[in-house]
Amino acid sequence: MKKLSAFGYAIKDLSPTDIEAMFLLFAEYYANVSAEQFRKDLLSKEHVFVLKDSRSLEIKGFSTIVSLKTEIDGKQVRGLFSGDTVVHHEYWGQGTLGVAFLKYLFVQKLKKPTQPLYWFLISKGYKTYLLMANNFKTHYPRFETETPAPVKQIIDHFSQTLYPEHYDEEHGIIQFSDQHANFKDCLKADITPITDDLIASNQRIAYFASQNRRWQQGDELACVAEMTFSMPIYYQMKLMRKMWRRSLLRLGFGKKPAREARVR
């Protein structure tokens, strides 16, 4: 089985060869992309996780990060924005990126332990949304409950900071107008389509599809997940339960769950 290894870099430390390889990978999965725009967006970020094949060390994925700040009810709140993210399909289902990002969040939380810290992400595809919803106990928006007002303020502020001309506050969507749609990158039609079967079998995918109806045109659902000191324990317990269920299935106990889309 091909495996990934994660490496963290400051954007300024990427080589031209790295950036070219990242763009070529990005262009495999997204339409309406250009090398110039990709480079411009990349250089506006601060940090990047680069995922490489453990043997060949070829770049097979990446996710960019930029820091954000706001004040809610007189309290400082920090955010880490997760920008462009892509993983080669041959490596889907591996938790390498999730583990690397969780470690990074934990280190940032340790630096200012009393200050709330949120992962801010925007999702044009359901797999990015599931990466958050499946792995973070406290995340919004979600189908189970309404987003609390203070959390909605955080989402609104971060979205308006990064996309002031495109944010639809009422619906929590970063919406690109039709006249500019051809210049906004979006997932290619055959990449992670949302089928009727997925909607029927997975409430989170159904919720994402209902909230971001124009995801195919590149619209993004604005989301946050809170990083707490208990988060690594929650994540580890989740992995242990998953391994336990798989062990039972191999031994012939239990019922195999309905097939569900892999999370990047």
Side-chain angles (χ1 to χ4, degrees), residues 13-154:
D13 292 333
L14 292 172
S15 69
T17 302
D18 291 334
I19 295 175
E20 181 181 8
M22 290 164 65
F23 168 71
L24 292 175
L25 177 63
F26 192 74
E28 281 189 49
Y29 294 88
Y30 291 89
N32 304 326
V33 298
S34 71
E36 181 181 354
Q37 186 61 46
F38 176 82
R39 181 179 175 81
K40 180 180 177 182
D41 289 345
L42 180 65
L43 295 179
S44 70
K45 306 302 191 299
E46 300 167 3
H47 188 88
V48 62
F49 290 111
V50 178
L51 305 176
K52 300 181 181 182
D53 182 276
S54 297
R55 290 187 176 180
S56 69
L57 295 182
E58 293 180 7
I59 294 177
K60 297 298 181 179
F62 64 88
S63 183
T64 59
I65 297 175
V66 66
S67 299
L68 296 165
K69 292 181 181 179
T70 187
E71 185 175 302
I72 303 296
D73 297 331
K75 295 181 179 180
Q76 292 293 320
V77 175
R78 291 183 297 152
L80 290 172
F81 170 57
S82 181
D84 290 333
T85 299
V86 65
V87 178
H88 192 282
H89 65 271
E90 292 182 350
Y91 301 83
W92 286 358
Q94 297 186 31
T96 309
L97 176 59
V99 171
F101 189 67
L102 183 59
K103 289 179 180 178
Y104 184 80
L105 283 171
F106 190 72
V107 170
Q108 299 307 308
K109 180 67 176 176
L110 284 173
K111 291 180 179 179
K112 296 183 179 179
T114 62
Q115 200 172 89
L117 176 63
Y118 287 87
W119 173 25
F120 176 60
L121 72 154
I122 58 175
S123 177
K124 64 170 70 72
Y126 76 85
K127 288 197 173 188
T128 305
Y129 178 77
L130 287 184
L131 182 61
M132 173 195 71
N134 286 349
N135 295 300
F136 282 78
K137 185 176 182 179
T138 304
H139 66 272
Y140 298 98
R142 57 194 298 163
F143 74 87
E144 296 96 335
T145 185
E146 267 191 55
T147 303
V151 177
K152 181 66 165 65
Q153 290 180 52
I154 294 170

